[in-house]
Amino acid sequence: MVENIFYGMTEDAIRQRVVDTALSLLGIKEGSAGHKKIIDTYNTGLPKLPRGYKLSYNDPWCAATMSYIGINLGISDVILPEVGCAPMIELYRKAGRWMEADDYVPKPGDLVMYDWDAQRGECTGAPDHVGMVISVDGKTITVVEGNYDNQVKTREICVEYIKTRGFCCPDYGALVQGFSDVPPGSWCADEINRAAELGLMVGYGDGTFNPNGAITMAQTVAVAARIHAIAAAGAESFVQG
């Protein structure tokens, strides 16, 4: 288990952090520096390459994009790494996290597998492509996918989409862990956990927060920088919207 960087966060907040990471990849095109970073991170960011296969820049990279998100966040034991869709399904199946039903309503952060050859009924064919669910609105699912028209793009599908092969469901609940020195119900628990959810404060690597400690100048500057980054991202989203 890698170091948990999500101390104090609810499962929904963890899922949102994962989704935000997926959204940050939008617009990356095949052959660009961003694409090469995804491939290089997969090839070098794991203790051992799944099946010993080193990905090239010319290989399909939809599954590698999903794996990159897990490696980037340090949670490859939750977002299980692979570069093949069928082997990825098997990893989640063995972990008990595979949902083989096209009418399943996923949550943000789940992975959807497609079979482009499916014609009708429950899909049991070979998977061709994978993406990450970023939102579910009624019967509409929005997905971020790598290697979609040779770039990272979003796609909208319906619940019970005929081309859906099934869903890989990472166990984000396993990452939920409160700060060891901030018990639930304490005077500062809600505020500290909210600051963690927003990414303003992350505590210490040992899982503590030290709520009664004095804040240093360096910590103050770090929090101010994070507030600025959040505000800047919000302003950019407002302008683009």
Side-chain angles (χ1 to χ4, degrees), residues 23-39:
L23 289 170
S24 72
L25 304 178
L26 286 175
I28 289 177
K29 296 182 179 181
E30 188 168 305
S32 68
H35 167 243
K36 292 178 179 178
K37 182 178 180 181
I38 289 172
I39 306 305

Side-chain angles (χ1 to χ4, degrees), residues 44-198:
T44 63
L46 296 166
K48 183 179 179 181
L49 280 174
R51 297 180 291 127
Y53 184 77
K54 185 176 182 179
L55 200 64
S56 77
Y57 296 142
N58 296 318
D59 283 326
W61 48 288
C62 59
T65 304
M66 304 300 102
S67 299
Y68 170 84
I69 294 169
I71 297 169
N72 179 265
L73 291 171
I75 53 172
S76 289
D77 52 347
V78 173
I79 301 178
L80 305 178
E82 246 297 345
V83 292
C85 291
M88 182 175 280
I89 287 177
E90 288 309 306
L91 287 178
Y92 282 93
R93 194 193 303 274
K94 289 178 182 178
R97 308 297 300 182
W98 167 246
M99 180 62 67
E100 191 162 294
D102 57 13
D103 60 349
Y104 171 71
V105 180
K107 296 180 179 180
D110 288 345
L111 309 183
V112 55
M113 287 282 181
Y114 302 103
D115 174 8
W116 302 135
D117 298 322
Q119 298 297 321
R120 61 174 65 88
E122 287 297 318
C123 180
T124 58
D128 300 306
H129 190 62
V130 62
M132 177 173 285
V133 175
I134 59 170
S135 66
V136 182
D137 182 9
K139 288 288 187 177
T140 301
I141 303 170
T142 304
V143 188
V144 165
E145 303 169 13
N147 199 31
Y148 175 9
D149 292 338
N150 299 320
Q151 59 184 299
V152 181
K153 293 175 59 176
T154 59
R155 183 195 308 270
E156 288 191 350
I157 62 173
C158 61
V159 174
E160 205 165 359
Y161 177 46
I162 194 171
K163 303 295 185 181
T164 297
R165 175 67 177 82
F167 296 87
C168 300
C169 304
D171 187 8
Y172 297 113
L175 297 171
V176 176
Q177 184 174 346
F179 295 107
S180 60
D181 55 353
V182 184
S186 62
W187 68 272
C188 56
D190 289 346
E191 289 76 12
I192 287 175
N193 292 337
R194 181 56 177 158
E197 290 181 1
L198 292 172

